[in-house]
Amino acid sequence: MITLTIFVLILLAGVQGDIKILNTPDGIIRPEPCARICSGVEKEYSGWSLGTGDSFSHRVYKDVYMSDCDFISSAVITVTSRSAYWPCPTFSIWRVYNNRFTLFTVPDLPPEIESHRYIPRNLLPVWMERNQCSIYWTAVGFVC
């Protein structure tokens, strides 16, 4: 019985993680047991929208939902992307909420898009969908 207890304690010690969040978007640090790492892959290729206005007219954006993470405030988000066909553009995280974040492409799109020689501006969201840019994301935040 003692051997079983020691085995369970060793097993539980290995399961416990160490998550330490140094800074948050809202500046509020909560107790370490409330910290959570949540990640996912956004494979829903539709939902890209064309930006408007002078600053965003040559960019596309998309909301990525992470409500299942159960964060109570804005999390620290890291994103990268992958495509089966063409390299995806670089993204900038624009807005972060407790249940979603918004990505914008930055102006380093492939030359045929950036110059708009081959793809008209209004087809940029379609280009993102057809190239199946998957968004790999990791969020670190608090749940209590």
Side-chain angles (χ1 to χ4, degrees):
M1 183 64 150
I2 293 176
T3 306
L4 179 61
T5 304
I6 292 172
F7 174 76
V8 169
L9 288 175
I10 291 171
L11 184 64
L12 288 176
V15 171
Q16 237 177 347
D18 181 29
I19 302 171
K20 183 160 185 79
I21 301 173
L22 301 178
N23 298 305
T24 62
D26 64 7
I28 299 171
I29 302 297
R30 292 170 177 81
E32 285 186 29
C34 295
R36 174 175 289 169
I37 297 173
C38 188
S39 66
V41 179
E42 177 72 21
K43 290 186 177 179
E44 178 59 46
Y45 305 121
S46 61
W48 292 100
S49 299
L50 190 61
T52 58
D54 291 339
S55 299
F56 300 110
S57 65
H58 294 89
R59 301 178 188 197
V60 291
Y61 69 93
K62 179 180 186 150
D63 286 327
V64 176
Y65 293 90
M66 55 178 189
S67 56
D68 288 344
C69 296
D70 295 325
F71 293 125
I72 61 170
S73 60
S74 298
V76 177
I77 308 287
T78 304
V79 295
T80 190
S81 61
R82 179 180 181 272
S83 170
Y85 306 105
W86 279 82
C88 295
T90 303
F91 297 101
S92 177
I93 301 168
W94 184 38
R95 295 181 286 202
V96 178
Y97 303 98
N98 66 317
N99 62 348
R100 73 181 188 279
F101 58 93
T102 304
L103 295 175
F104 258 101
T105 56
V106 295
D108 68 345
L109 293 171
E112 66 273 15
I113 292 179
E114 190 62 39
S115 65
H116 304 290
R117 289 178 294 175
Y118 302 112
I119 300 175
R121 180 181 165 278
N122 62 337
L123 293 181
L124 289 174
V126 175
W127 186 90
M128 295 296 290
E129 292 172 14
R130 287 191 179 156
N131 284 287
Q132 299 180 0
C133 288
S134 298
I135 307 300
Y136 290 71
W137 58 270
T138 302
V140 181
F142 293 101
V143 295
C144 58

